[in-house]
Structures are given as structure tokens and as C-alpha cells.
């Protein structure tokens, strides 16, 4: 009888032990992972919405309304492209919330200017001067606030902020005319006074932002500024309607 071969059937007659599976540490596995193309900025969920709006304002003032897209805002904030959609739904939602912020800033600037005035005439001049100053400092935001076709006024934040802006104007006209004005029920004279004041200041602002006043300023005495020109316009119209002795 032949002896049994305890080595078993192996190539080359040499028995090999089965290899144990290699143990790979988590650290070594992580080291082999490809690095992310871009590191996203971590935000708490509540802070991300605010960060997106701040990023949107930067994009708007730097690149204009044409450059304000959801992807541009996400890139500016350093987050995923889906983040703006998650928080605002679409571009209309984003720009509407941004315009609401603009109106609140706008209203606060005019209220602060009126609070520091020391006489009725100064107070009457303070609001329109602050109006123009805000537009000069934030031309992109100012332009967005009056692009009605791009905004959704059914959003509560924008509706409330815009209504507050109108109420401030109505109150200013009420003080000038020394009569109560209800924003929901205007007389034709009250409506005309509100539109006249708004048209004058808004028109001046748009001419200034578009550079259309440069020719006139060059014809005025040397050193005359746009603010001085505005004040002269206001005094010739507002002061004439102020009660005597103010």
C-alpha cells in the first residue's frame, strides 16, 4: 500500500498556509480617499439662510442683477448649489427676500436721519436726503427694490417691508401738510402730494445713479455736490409748503 501524502496536492510540492485578510485601519482608508474638489463652509441650519442672503447682497452689488443667480450665490457662500433652492425655492424667492432686507435697511436709514433732526425743516429734508444717500451706498439693492417684475410681493416679509416704506412716506407728507393721512384711504390731494414727493426724490436718485447729473453739476459753481443740489431742490419745494415759523 502506498503511503498517504500528508502534504496534500500543492504546486511544487510545498504546502502553503492560507493568507489572512489584511486589516486596513480607518485612517489608512481615509488617506486613500480622493480629496474633495472644494471645501464647503459648514453652517448651522439657521445661519445658512442668513449667510446666503449676505452672499446674495455681495453678488448683487458686485455683479449686478444680471449676475445674481442661485449658483452664483451658492458659490459666493461656499455651499452646495442646492442650498439656495432649499431655503428660497427659486430665484424669485431669493431676490424677494433680499429686497425685503433692502427695504428694512432703507426704512431704518431714513428713520434714523429724521430722529437726529432738530427742527421741522431739518426733519423734512432729512428723509429725502437719507433716501438718496442709501441709494448711492447700495445701488444694486436700491435697483432691485424697485424691480417689481422680479419680486413676489405675496411673500409676507417683502409685503410688510414695502408697506412700512410707504407708511413712512405718507407720515412725512402728513406732517408737512399738518393733517392726518390714512394709507388705506387717501384723498386725491393727499395721493398727489405723496406721488409728487416720491417722483421728485426717486427721479433725482435715478438721474444721479445713471450719471445724468454730471453735465449740470459741471455748470454749477466749482465744488457744488449732488447733495447740495438736492438740498436746493428740496428747499425750493418742501420749505414753501412748511408752516411759517419752522
Amino acid at each position: 500500500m502506498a503511503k498517504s501524502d500528508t502534504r496534500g496536492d500543492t504546486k511544487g510540492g510545498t504546502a502553503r498556509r492560507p493568507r489572512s485578510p489584511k486589516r486596513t485601519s480607518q485612517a489608512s482608508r481615509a488617506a486613500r480617499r480622493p480629496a474633495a474638489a472644494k471645501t464647503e463652509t459648514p453652517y448651522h441650519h439657521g445661519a445658512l439662510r442668513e449667510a446666503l442672503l449676505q452672499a446674495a447682497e455681495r453678488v448683487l452689488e458686485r455683479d449686478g442683477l444680471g449676475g445674481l443667480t442661485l449658483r452664483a450665490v451658492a458659490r459666493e457662500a461656499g455651499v452646495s448649489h442646492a442650498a439656495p433652492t432649499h431655503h428660497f425655492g427659486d430665484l424669485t424667492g431669493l431676490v424677494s427676500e433680499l429686497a425685503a432686507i433692502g427695504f428694512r435697511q432703507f426704512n431704518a436709514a431714513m428713520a434714523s436721519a429724521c430722529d437726529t433732526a432738530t427742527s421741522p425743516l431739518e426733519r423734512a429734508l432729512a428723509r429725502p436726503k437719507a433716501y438718496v444717500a442709501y441709494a448711492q451706498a447700495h445701488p444694486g439693492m436700491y435697483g432691485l427694490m424697485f424691480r417689481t417684475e422680479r419680486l413676489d410681493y405675496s411673500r409676507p416679509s417683502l409685503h410688510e417691508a414695502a408697506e412700512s416704506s410707504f407708511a413712512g412716506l405718507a407720515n412725512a407728507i402728513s406732517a408737512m401738510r399738518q393733517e392726518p393721512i390714512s394709507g388705506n384711504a387717501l384723498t386725491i390731494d393727499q395721493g398727489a402730494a405723496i406721488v409728487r414727493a416720491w417722483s421728485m426724490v426717486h427721479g433725482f436718485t435715478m438721474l444721479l445713479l445713471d450719471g445724468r447729473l454730471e453735465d449740470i453739476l459741471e455748470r454749477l459753481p466749482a465744488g457744488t455736490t449732488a447733495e447740495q443740489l438736492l438740498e436746493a431742490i428740496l428747499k425750493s419745494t418742501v420749505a414753501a409748503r412748511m408752516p411759517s415759523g419752522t
Side-chain angles (χ1 to χ4, degrees), residues 51-61 68 73 76-77 94 98:
L52 288 168
L53 288 168
Q54 291 174 356
E57 184 172 359
R58 292 194 298 271
V59 172
L60 175 64
E61 295 296 349
L68 184 61
V73 170
E76 180 74 19
L94 173 62
L98 186 59

Side-chain angles (χ1 to χ4, degrees), residues 3-163:
K3 293 182 179 179
S4 61
D5 190 349
T6 59
R7 292 173 301 177
D9 294 332
T10 61
K11 293 181 180 181
T14 303
R16 296 179 181 175
R17 297 178 181 177
R19 294 179 179 178
S20 301
K22 291 183 179 180
R23 297 179 179 178
T24 306
S25 67
Q26 289 184 342
S28 62
R29 283 199 301 269
R32 292 200 298 268
R33 292 173 184 165
K38 181 179 179 180
T39 302
E40 293 180 354
T41 305
Y43 290 102
H44 182 272
H45 180 77
L48 177 54
R49 186 179 188 278
E50 180 63 24
L52 288 168
L53 288 168
Q54 291 174 356
E57 184 172 359
R58 292 194 298 271
V59 172
L60 175 64
E61 295 296 349
R62 184 184 65 228
D63 303 328
L65 187 56
L68 184 61
T69 65
L70 294 178
R71 293 179 71 88
V73 170
R75 187 164 53 247
E76 180 74 19
V79 298
S80 73
H81 291 155
T85 302
H86 175 73
H87 284 275
F88 304 103
D90 56 14
L91 184 58
T92 297
L94 173 62
V95 298
S96 297
E97 293 300 323
L98 186 59
I101 291 174
F103 272 112
R104 288 195 290 269
Q105 294 173 345
F106 185 56
N107 298 340
M110 289 186 287
S112 176
C114 291
D115 288 343
T116 59
T118 57
S119 71
L121 177 58
E122 283 187 10
R123 195 171 298 110
L125 300 181
R127 183 178 178 85
K129 289 169 72 172
Y131 183 115
V132 176
Y134 178 84
Q136 285 183 286
H138 308 277
M141 184 73 92
Y142 180 80
L144 173 63
M145 288 157 51
F146 295 99
R147 291 293 297 272
T148 305
E149 77 281 5
R150 297 292 300 270
L151 305 177
D152 178 7
Y153 277 89
S154 69
R155 297 179 79 95
S157 57
L158 177 56
H159 178 77
E160 180 181 347
E163 281 293 305

